[in-house]
């Protein structure tokens, strides 16, 4: 069954925010990656490369708080009020495809559901009601 978690987007202060959240919730980051860690044919400037591409902080056995910095190099800007998405982690590619296709119907796909360099089947969209979604299936469970 799918697991649903909040996904936050920041304008360059994701690391600061998540260090604060970690001080409140406790625990350790399950993952923290920077834009410079992703494969790219074009080198990124240091100010972009050091931004957070993805961070996850487990806050209970069922809930993970996740986030990234918006990256203007990719045309992204975080705006208060629309900088939260619902992230769905599924148990199979089939479940991911079903949920992605169903929820994105009538909306706008921003990243098609596809295999990624980080070992997942992943896609993003905004549904017809303006809600931002991410659908993910991790190949290595």
């Amino acid at each position: 069954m799918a697991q649903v978690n909040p996904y936050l987007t920041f304008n360059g202060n994701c690391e600061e925010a998540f260090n604060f959240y970690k001080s409140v919730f406790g625990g350790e980051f399950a993952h923290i990656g920077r834009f410079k860690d992703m494969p790219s044919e074009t080198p990124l400037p240091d100010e972009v490369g050091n931004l957070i591409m993805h961070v996850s902080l487990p806050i209970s056995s069922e809930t993970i708080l996740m986030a990234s910095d918006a990256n203007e190099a990719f045309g992204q800007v975080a705006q208060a009020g629309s900088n939260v998405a619902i992230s769905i982690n599924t148990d199979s590619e089939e479940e991911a495809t079903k949920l992605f296709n169903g929820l994105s119907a009538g909306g706008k796909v921003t990243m098609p559901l596809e295999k990624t360099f980080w070992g997942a089947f992943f896609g993003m969209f905004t549904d017809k009601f303006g809600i931002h979604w991410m659908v993910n299936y991790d190949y290595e469970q």
Side-chain angles (χ1 to χ4, degrees), residues 12 15 34-37 42-52 69 71 73:
E15 187 167 13
R34 300 181 186 280
F35 282 103
K36 67 182 178 185
D37 300 330
T42 307
L44 296 170
D46 287 344
E47 63 272 9
V48 173
N50 287 321
L51 293 175
I52 302 299
D69 278 310
N71 186 336

Side-chain angles (χ1 to χ4, degrees), residues 96-116:
T97 300
K98 175 186 174 208
L99 294 174
F100 186 93
N101 291 341
L103 290 168
S104 67
K108 180 181 178 191
V109 173
T110 52
M111 182 177 175
L113 193 58
E114 60 191 9
K115 292 181 180 178
T116 65

Side-chain angles (χ1 to χ4, degrees), residues 11-34:
N11 278 319
N13 61 341
C14 181
E15 187 167 13
E16 176 188 359
F18 264 66
N19 282 325
F20 170 73
Y21 299 149
K22 184 173 136 180
S23 76
V24 174
F25 290 111
E28 296 297 324
F29 298 130
H31 176 81
I32 188 165
R34 300 181 186 280

Side-chain angles (χ1 to χ4, degrees), residues 20-131:
F20 170 73
Y21 299 149
K22 184 173 136 180
S23 76
V24 174
F25 290 111
E28 296 297 324
F29 298 130
H31 176 81
I32 188 165
R34 300 181 186 280
F35 282 103
K36 67 182 178 185
D37 300 330
M38 87 179 172
S40 175
E41 295 176 11
T42 307
L44 296 170
D46 287 344
E47 63 272 9
V48 173
N50 287 321
L51 293 175
I52 302 299
M53 181 181 69
H54 178 75
V55 61
S56 56
L57 177 64
I59 56 175
S60 76
S61 61
E62 295 87 21
T63 306
I64 301 170
L65 187 60
M66 298 181 286
S68 65
D69 278 310
N71 186 336
E72 290 188 40
F74 298 121
Q76 302 169 326
V77 177
Q79 294 179 317
S82 65
N83 60 337
V84 177
I86 299 170
S87 175
I88 304 173
N89 292 309
T90 66
D91 292 330
S92 68
E93 276 190 28
E94 295 76 21
E95 182 182 28
T97 300
K98 175 186 174 208
L99 294 174
F100 186 93
N101 291 341
L103 290 168
S104 67
K108 180 181 178 191
V109 173
T110 52
M111 182 177 175
L113 193 58
E114 60 191 9
K115 292 181 180 178
T116 65
F117 71 87
W118 64 83
F121 190 53
F122 178 83
M124 299 187 304
F125 59 91
T126 302
D127 71 18
K128 62 184 175 182
F129 303 103
I131 304 300

